[in-house]
Amino acid sequence: GAVVSQHPSRVICKSGTSVKIECRSLDFQATTMFWYRQFPKQSLMLMATSNEGSKATYEQGVEKDKFLINHASLTLSTLTVTSAHPEDSSFYICSATTGSDYGYTFGSGTRLTVV
Amino acid sequence: AQSVTQPDIHITVSEGASLELRCNYSYGATPYLFWYVQSPGQGLQLLLKYFSGDTLVQGIKGFEAEFKRSQSSFNLRKPSVHWSDAAEYFCAVGLWGSSNTGKLIFGQGTTLQVKP
């Protein structure tokens, strides 16, 4: 079945630094990738939608300059948290879809801790 | 606006008992509905999905869900719960159409605890 690999699974960084999270579709071409954020004991909130070769579409209230999303190929999307602060600490999850079967495949998530 | 509501934040059932997790949605077009399960610190695993056809959908791990358009509901059921079913369960609606590229809107989630 379709597999999405997300790395790293955990990362701890210092306040003010940037962190990059990768999301790769291993055995299919992902026309669209989605980035979600999940706070403890809460639901997943969509941050942005990215299509290969075009700019990401951010949800209302998400700072596009802080959360940089790149979808340079049909198998790779990256989320860079720039100038991270403790309030950015969260669980970030990506998902991918080919669009053809209305199905989604999720990565295993990245636990970001900013100290 | 599109939304998904899971009325029960936390449910506790005894092992072997039946389970029903409720989900209501609000969406003007044909809904693409999903149930996912998440173990602590993990990603999401698809249990089942409904796009069209038979309104009773069978999924993995013995789960099923019934789509009721008149009630805007998509409740998840399992006849006999196992201790390994303890997890967080999310209902979601997929938005497909001219102005949507398939993003998922999630409910708040229901935490399932299973008593021995």
Side-chain angles (χ1 to χ4, degrees), chain A residues 32 34 36 38 42-44 46 49 59 91 93 97 99 101-104 106-108, chain B residues 32 34 36 38 41-44 49 51 90 94-96 101-104 106-108:
Chain A
T32 305
F34 305 89
Y36 296 86
Q38 185 179 31
Q42 295 190 27
S43 188
L44 285 78
L46 180 66
T49 302
E59 295 298 302
F91 193 58
I93 306 177
T97 178
D101 62 354
Y102 309 105
Y104 307 82
F106 284 82
S108 55
Chain B
Y32 297 89
F34 305 81
Y36 289 92
Q38 184 182 34
Q42 300 295 315
L44 274 69
K49 59 187 177 183
F51 296 158
F90 292 98
L95 307 183
W96 292 92
T101 54
K103 62 184 181 182
L104 282 171
F106 285 88
Q108 302 91 323

Side-chain angles (χ1 to χ4, degrees), chain B residues 19-54:
Chain B
L19 171 71
E20 182 171 36
L21 301 182
R22 295 182 292 165
C23 173
N24 294 96
Y25 68 90
S26 174
Y27 185 46
T30 301
Y32 297 89
L33 297 163
F34 305 81
W35 273 100
Y36 289 92
V37 61
Q38 184 182 34
S39 297
Q42 300 295 315
L44 274 69
Q45 181 182 24
L46 178 67
L47 290 175
L48 46 79
K49 59 187 177 183
Y50 171 78
F51 296 158
S52 64
D54 193 345

Side-chain angles (χ1 to χ4, degrees), chain B residues 68-89:
Chain B
K68 293 186 177 180
R69 184 184 296 275
S70 61
Q71 298 178 19
S72 297
S73 69
F74 189 55
N75 294 348
L76 181 72
R77 300 194 293 252
K78 186 170 185 176
S80 178
V81 171
H82 188 264
W83 64 267
S84 60
D85 293 325
E88 189 80 13
Y89 290 80

Side-chain angles (χ1 to χ4, degrees), chain A residues 2-4 23-36 46 48-52 71 73-77 94-107, chain B residues 32 34 36 49 51 94-96 100-104:
Chain A
V3 177
V4 169
C23 181
R24 291 182 184 272
S25 57
L26 298 186
D27 48 4
F28 66 102
Q29 292 186 326
T31 53
T32 305
M33 287 189 172
F34 305 89
W35 287 94
Y36 296 86
L46 180 66
T49 302
S50 71
N51 294 290
E52 183 264 339
H71 192 163
S73 75
L74 283 172
T75 60
L76 175 65
S77 178
C94 69
S95 75
T97 178
T98 62
S100 61
D101 62 354
Y102 309 105
Y104 307 82
T105 304
F106 284 82
Chain B
Y32 297 89
F34 305 81
Y36 289 92
K49 59 187 177 183
F51 296 158
L95 307 183
W96 292 92
N100 294 296
T101 54
K103 62 184 181 182
L104 282 171

